[in-house]
């Protein structure tokens, strides 16, 4: 019974998992290096597995160097400190990432132990051969047969070891070492089929340039004869026809005396070539037979290697697909165990993917587990089914499907699902935008309907005021104050509503920022209380933007009106503009004195239309922001001890910004 020691102090179930994977062997867990040393002194340990996420490789390197060859298998994790030169440690047989132990560890342990058994048998063989030669001098018919039997047995066991290997370079190296044990030769080469040609994959004693460039086609005489005969081919002594001459030429190029076919299921997949013995002795029939037999084992191992590679690439391809999917995917088998749980599924329902693999379907949040089980057992399929995760109220869109084997028997079920939260929000925003557009259209119609009779009322009020302008009675004073002022306020509100709800295309033209701000200041001075002072700072010449002159001036005006509503009469309002350094944007600043705002107050000023309370005063900023955004700009507020500033950021036309164009009344950058 082989004994495997496992050095690890983890408490997360790794030891139990390793014991389960290596159930056919005796495993002995140890938690410290001292325990391991004591164990080795008392009991012979065949193989040592070291968990370097528990014990750093650097702290064990001296101990590992002293061990026998190929005695250690290393498990590496995220916290491991494995040096790049770990392969130089002769005692280390191989390295496996902890995430892959289920697939790779049993194979590597089997291979390592099989190789150790082979070494013991080879040592025994050498001793037996030595004894046989000694006895041969006294009894010619003695132990030769026994020696041959032992050698053949060892090589067969070694060939079995090759079939368990999935490292092509090691596979071919072991094979050539095996042949060298049988007969010391001066040259060897292994050729494998690649599409329609045979190329040298590994060699010994050949010129490197020749080995890298020599190839045999399917129709070559050597390949054709090996394919047809399936037997050992010796270099022709004296070619008596074109085929034998061609075969001799190929074998001379390969520097070989014998070529062995590597057959798998009756097909030639490779050729093994050997030269002469270094002792100039002839090959015995037994030696050639054993090499021929090993070539068949090698052919089987090569095909296994190819199959393993295809399966590995397919598995990696599937993993990459699952990892790159935007949707979550969960698959269960007939035992109700989760076999697939991709990372997107883990992120959507907030579970650990590695912990869910192998778990029971009942651990999934409802109704995911119910849908999987129902689909597997009853065959019910869900397509674009919308539901909510019971615990978190997370909206999901689910499609389920049943899995079958080659005989159409159900073997499991799977679901593909996506988080509908964002799409729900987008739908709600779209509906809100549609409602807002409808409200805008209604506001525009109402404003126009109200403005016509309001114009008549305003005209009659002016006529009455003019007719009785000299009378100092109560009715006349009422018309002069309350009625006229109310008409003006209502007219101003209607103007704001029309401006905000306007849907026609803007008329963008190339405008000078200096000129725009000059006209804005003039318009503002004509329409705001006279107690406020407006100053425009000097601005760099030739700064241009695309703008609708009339609406842009209104945007500046409404910003200033909002300032006058929250500042004292006599305050100074300053307009300035500048080009952002290195960027194709211009910033317009409207600064005024006032107390520093809190973040809550600042955000309140920038709140959307549907959150405002008083249309007459709070509609100013939403109107300005809408006009500025139509100009591909943005509006923000900066506050500090020195005052408050509205910041308008707009794309400039000079430099890179000249690429901005107008299409259908909209700016395109």
């Amino acid at each position: 019974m082989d004994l495997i020691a496992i050095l690890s102090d983890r408490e997360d179930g790794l030891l139990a998992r390793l014991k389960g994977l290596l159930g056919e062997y005796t495993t002995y867990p140890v938690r410290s290096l001292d325990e391991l040393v004591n164990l080795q002194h008392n009991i012979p340990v065949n193989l040592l597995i070291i968990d370097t996420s528990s014990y750093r490789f650097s702290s064990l390197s001296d101990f590992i160097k002293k061990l026998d060859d190929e005695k250690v298998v290393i498990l590496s994790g995220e916290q491991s400190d494995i040096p790049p030169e770990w392969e130089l440690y002769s005692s280390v047989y191989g390295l496996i990432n902890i995430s892959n132990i289920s697939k790779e560890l049993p194979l590597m342990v089997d291979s390592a132990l099989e190789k150790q058994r082979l070494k013991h048998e080879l040592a025994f063989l050498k001793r037996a051969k030595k004894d046989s030669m000694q006895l041969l001098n006294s009894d010619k018919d003695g132990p030769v047969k026994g020696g041959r039997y032992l050698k053949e047995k060892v090589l067969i066991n070694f060939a079995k070891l090759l079939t368990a290997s999935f490292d092509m370079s090691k596979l071919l190296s072991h094979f050539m070492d095996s042949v060298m044990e049988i007969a010391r030769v001066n040259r060897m080469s292994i050729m494998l089929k690649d599409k329609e040609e045979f190329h040298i994959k590994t060699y010994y004693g050949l010129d490197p340039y020749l080995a890298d460039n020599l190839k045999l086609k399917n129709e070559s005489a050597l390949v054709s004869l090996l394919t047809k005969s399936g037997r050992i081919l010796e270099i022709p002594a004296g070619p008596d026809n074109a085929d034998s001459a061609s075969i001799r030429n190929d074998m001379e190029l390969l520097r070989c005396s014998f070529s062995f076919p590597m057959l798998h299921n009756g097909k030639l997949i490779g050729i093994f070539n050997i030269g002469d013995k270094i002792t100039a002795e002839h090959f015995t029939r037994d030696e050639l037979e054993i090499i021929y037999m090993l070539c068949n084992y090698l052919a089987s191992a090569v095909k296994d290697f190819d199959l393993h590679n295809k399966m590995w690439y397919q598995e990696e391809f599937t993993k990459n697909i699952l990892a790159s999917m935007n949707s979550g995917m969960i698959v269960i088998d007939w035992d109700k165990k989760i076999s697939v749980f991709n990372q997107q599924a883990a992120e959507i329902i907030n579970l650990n993917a590695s912990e869910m693999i192998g778990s029971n379907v009942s651990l999934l949040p409802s109704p995911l587990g119910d849908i999987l089980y129902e689909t597997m057992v009853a065959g019910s399929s869900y397509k674009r089914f919308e539901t909510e995760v019971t615990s978190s109220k997370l909206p999901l869109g689910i499609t389920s499907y049943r899995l079958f084997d080659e005989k159409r028997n159900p073997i499991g079920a799977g679901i593909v699902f996506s988080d509908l939260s964002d799409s729900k929000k987008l739908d709600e925003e779209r509906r809100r935008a549609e409602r807002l557009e409808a409200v805008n259209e209604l506001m525009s119609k109402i404003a126009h309907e109200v403005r016509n009779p309001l114009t008549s009322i305003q005209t009659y009020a002016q006529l009455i005021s003019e007719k009785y302008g000299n009378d100092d009675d109560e009715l006349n004073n009422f018309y002069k104050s309350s009625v006229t002022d109310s008409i003006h306020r209502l007219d101003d509100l209607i103007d704001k509503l029309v401006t905000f709800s306007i849907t026609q295309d803007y008329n963008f033209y190339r405008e000078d920022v200096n000129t725009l701000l000059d006209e804005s200041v003039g318009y503002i001075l004509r329409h705001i209380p006279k107690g406020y002072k407006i100053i425009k700072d000097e601005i760099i010449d030739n700064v241009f933007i695309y703008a609708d002159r009339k609406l842009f001036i209104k945007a500046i005006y409404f910003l200033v009106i909002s300032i006058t509503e929250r500042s004292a009469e006599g305050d100074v309002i300053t307009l300035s503009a500048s080009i952002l350094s290195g960027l194709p944007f211009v910033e317009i600043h409207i600064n005024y004195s006032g107390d520093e705002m809190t973040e809550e107050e600042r955000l309140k000023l920038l709140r959307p239309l549907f959150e405002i309370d008083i249309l007459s005063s709070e509609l100013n900023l939403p109107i300005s922001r809408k006009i500025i955004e139509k100009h591909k700009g943005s509006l923000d507020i900066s506050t500090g001890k020195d005052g408050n500033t509205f910041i308008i950021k707009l794309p400039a036309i000079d430099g890179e910004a000249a690429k901005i164009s107008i299409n259908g009344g909209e700016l395109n950058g």
Side-chain angles (χ1 to χ4, degrees):
M1 179 67 73
D2 294 310
L3 176 63
I4 301 174
I6 304 173
L7 179 60
S8 175
D9 65 353
R10 290 172 55 150
E11 301 291 346
D12 58 356
L14 177 65
L15 287 173
R17 190 177 175 194
L18 293 176
K19 286 184 178 181
L21 292 170
L22 305 173
E24 62 181 296
Y25 301 109
T26 300
T27 55
Y28 195 106
V30 291
R31 295 188 174 275
S32 69
L33 184 58
D34 291 337
E35 287 185 44
L36 179 60
V37 173
N38 291 333
L39 177 66
Q40 282 192 305
H41 286 165
N42 297 308
I43 305 173
V45 176
N46 299 93
L47 191 67
L48 171 60
I49 297 176
I50 296 179
D51 171 21
T52 56
S53 64
S54 296
Y55 296 92
R56 298 185 65 81
F57 188 92
S58 56
S59 66
L60 301 172
S61 58
D62 291 339
F63 170 75
I64 293 174
K65 288 179 181 177
K66 297 176 182 178
L67 297 175
D68 294 338
D69 290 351
E70 299 177 321
K71 194 84 170 183
V72 179
V73 171
I74 296 175
L75 303 183
S76 67
E78 295 180 0
Q79 304 301 321
S80 301
D81 62 336
I82 310 298
E85 64 275 8
W86 69 268
E87 291 181 323
L88 299 178
Y89 287 70
S90 61
S91 58
V92 177
Y93 182 77
L95 181 144
I96 301 174
N97 191 283
I98 288 181
S99 61
N100 298 325
I101 57 175
S102 298
K103 179 173 63 176
E104 298 182 8
L105 183 62
L107 289 173
M108 185 171 287
V109 168
D110 290 346
S111 178
L113 294 176
E114 186 70 29
K115 190 168 184 179
Q116 288 186 20
R117 283 191 287 271
L118 172 65
K119 285 183 177 180
H120 293 316
E121 292 196 35
L122 283 174
F124 178 75
L125 171 64
K126 290 177 179 179
R127 288 195 300 271
K129 183 177 181 180
K130 182 178 180 181
D131 295 341
S132 298
M133 294 303 296
Q134 291 175 350
L135 292 172
L136 185 62
N137 294 327
S138 58
D139 187 354
K140 297 287 186 180
D141 299 325
V144 175
K145 184 176 181 181
R148 176 197 166 195
Y149 172 77
L150 288 173
K151 180 182 289 189
E152 186 172 337
K153 178 183 176 183
V154 169
L155 294 176
I156 290 174
N157 288 336
F158 193 81
K160 291 180 180 178
L161 170 66
L162 298 183
T163 62
S165 173
F166 294 109
D167 185 322
M168 179 65 84
S169 60
K170 287 185 177 180
L171 178 71
L172 300 180
S173 175
H174 289 331
F175 177 82
M176 293 179 70
D177 289 345
S178 174
V179 173
M180 276 294 191
E181 289 292 334
I182 299 170
R184 300 290 177 179
V185 296
N186 58 355
R187 296 183 183 89
M188 285 188 289
S189 63
I190 299 175
M191 308 184 77
L192 296 180
K193 189 174 183 179
D194 183 8
K195 296 180 180 179
E196 300 301 317
E197 296 176 337
F198 289 79
H199 298 265
I200 295 177
K201 295 297 182 182
T202 189
Y203 58 90
Y204 168 76
L206 293 183
D207 178 80
Y209 180 83
L210 177 68
D212 291 339
N213 292 277
L214 185 62
K215 58 187 177 183
L216 293 177
K217 296 185 177 296
N218 265 348
E219 57 270 18
S220 70
L222 177 61
V223 173
S224 298
L225 184 56
L226 290 173
T227 301
K228 292 177 183 178
S229 66
R231 57 183 176 82
I232 304 170
L233 182 62
E234 186 175 6
I235 187 170
D240 52 4
N241 55 51
D243 285 343
S244 62
S246 179
I247 291 171
R248 182 178 178 85
N249 181 63
D250 290 342
M251 296 183 71
E252 284 180 345
L253 285 174
L254 290 166
R255 300 291 193 270
C256 67
S257 301
F258 291 90
S259 291
F260 298 79
M262 293 169 53
L263 301 171
H264 181 75
N265 292 335
K267 295 181 179 179
L268 185 72
I269 67 163
I271 303 171
F272 177 57
N273 307 293
I274 59 173
D276 297 322
K277 288 185 178 182
I278 59 175
T279 58
E281 297 176 355
H282 294 292
F283 287 96
T284 66
R285 180 175 179 177
D286 291 341
E287 290 170 337
L288 294 175
E289 284 181 1
I290 293 175
I291 295 174
Y292 179 86
M293 177 183 60
L294 285 180
C295 285
N296 288 331
Y297 278 114
L298 179 61
S300 178
V302 169
K303 296 306 292 185
D304 287 345
F305 177 84
D306 289 341
L307 179 61
H308 174 267
N309 269 355
K310 289 178 182 177
M311 292 175 64
W312 184 84
Y313 285 125
Q314 183 64 42
E315 182 178 355
E316 290 300 308
F317 180 71
T318 303
K319 284 182 179 178
N320 289 336
I321 290 177
L322 291 175
S324 61
M325 286 177 64
N326 292 325
S327 301
M329 184 175 185
I330 304 175
V331 175
I332 63 170
D333 57 29
W334 195 254
D335 294 328
K336 298 184 286 186
K337 301 293 185 182
I338 298 173
S339 56
V340 174
F341 193 97
N342 72 343
Q343 187 58 37
Q344 191 65 18
E347 293 176 2
I348 292 175
I349 58 180
N350 196 27
L351 290 173
N352 188 299
S354 60
E355 292 178 358
M356 295 306 297
I357 298 294
S359 300
N360 192 281
V361 69
S362 61
L363 295 181
L364 291 174
S366 179
L368 300 182
D370 300 330
I371 291 174
L372 275 166
Y373 186 74
E374 180 184 351
T375 300
M376 180 178 69
V377 176
S380 304
S381 295
Y382 292 79
K383 292 185 178 179
R384 299 179 182 176
F385 175 68
E386 293 190 11
T387 185
E388 284 187 347
V389 176
T390 305
S391 57
S392 61
K393 302 298 181 183
L394 179 71
L396 297 179
I398 295 179
T399 298
S400 69
Y401 51 92
R402 207 178 192 188
L403 299 175
F404 300 91
D405 61 13
E406 66 277 4
K407 297 181 180 179
R408 300 298 298 170
N409 296 319
I411 58 173
I415 57 172
V416 177
F417 58 94
S418 56
D419 184 356
L420 300 182
S421 301
D422 291 339
S423 61
K424 293 281 186 184
K425 290 178 182 177
L426 288 174
D427 288 342
E428 180 59 31
E429 290 176 2
R430 178 179 53 80
R431 287 192 291 268
R432 180 179 294 174
E434 291 174 351
R435 290 196 299 268
L436 184 59
E437 185 177 353
V439 170
N440 286 344
E441 292 179 1
L442 180 61
M443 288 168 58
S444 180
K445 291 177 181 178
I446 292 174
H448 282 93
E449 291 295 327
V450 171
R451 173 160 279 176
N452 292 330
L454 184 63
T455 303
S456 300
I457 294 171
Q458 187 176 16
T459 302
Y460 285 122
Q462 289 175 349
L463 290 174
I464 292 173
S465 177
E466 292 172 0
K467 184 175 182 179
Y468 301 101
N470 297 324
D471 296 340
D472 191 17
D473 56 16
E474 185 178 347
L475 180 61
N476 189 41
N477 291 333
F478 173 75
Y479 275 114
K480 286 181 179 179
S481 59
S482 299
V483 175
T484 303
D485 290 345
S486 296
I487 289 172
H488 282 303
R489 286 198 304 271
L490 186 55
D491 185 61
D492 184 60
L493 178 59
I494 290 171
D495 184 56
K496 291 178 181 178
L497 291 174
V498 170
T499 303
F500 186 84
S501 59
I502 193 169
T503 56
Q504 70 265 25
D505 292 338
Y506 283 43
N507 297 311
F508 292 109
Y509 295 97
R510 187 172 182 268
E511 302 286 356
D512 186 286
V513 173
N514 247 325
T515 304
L516 275 179
L517 292 186
D518 283 337
E519 294 184 7
S520 299
V521 169
Y523 181 87
I524 293 168
L525 288 174
R526 294 193 299 271
H527 292 85
I528 67 169
K530 295 183 179 180
Y532 291 91
K533 187 176 181 181
I534 306 295
I535 298 176
K536 182 177 81 72
D537 285 347
E538 291 296 326
I539 300 173
I540 301 174
D541 292 333
N542 299 321
V543 178
F544 296 94
I545 62 172
Y546 282 121
D548 183 309
R549 179 187 296 265
K550 180 181 176 181
L551 290 174
F552 186 81
I553 290 173
K554 276 194 174 184
I556 301 294
Y557 166 71
F558 285 126
L559 283 176
V560 173
I561 288 295
S562 70
I563 292 173
T564 63
E565 291 173 349
R566 61 177 55 84
S567 61
E569 188 173 332
D571 283 353
V572 177
I573 301 172
T574 305
L575 274 70
S576 62
S578 61
I579 287 286
L580 294 180
S581 177
L583 297 173
F585 290 98
V586 59
E587 277 192 354
I588 298 173
H589 292 190
I590 305 175
N591 179 264
Y592 67 99
S593 58
D595 296 334
E596 184 176 359
M597 300 181 194
T598 64
E599 182 64 15
E600 183 179 355
E601 290 171 334
R602 193 185 75 84
L603 293 176
K604 185 177 181 181
L605 287 178
L606 297 173
R607 63 190 173 183
L609 173 67
F610 55 81
E611 292 183 7
I612 67 176
D613 301 317
I614 305 171
L615 284 177
S616 60
S617 60
E618 296 182 2
L619 192 59
N620 296 313
L621 285 179
I623 291 174
S624 296
R625 187 168 64 248
K626 179 178 179 181
I627 294 173
I628 291 167
E629 288 174 352
K630 282 290 186 179
H631 285 71
K632 292 292 183 181
S634 63
L635 175 64
D636 200 359
I637 302 173
S638 173
T639 182
K641 295 179 181 180
D642 298 331
N644 304 304
T645 305
F646 284 100
I647 302 171
I648 302 171
K649 185 178 178 181
L650 295 162
I653 296 180
D654 49 353
E656 288 296 317
K659 298 178 182 178
I660 298 173
S661 62
I662 307 173
N663 183 18
E666 293 288 337
L667 293 180
N668 301 303

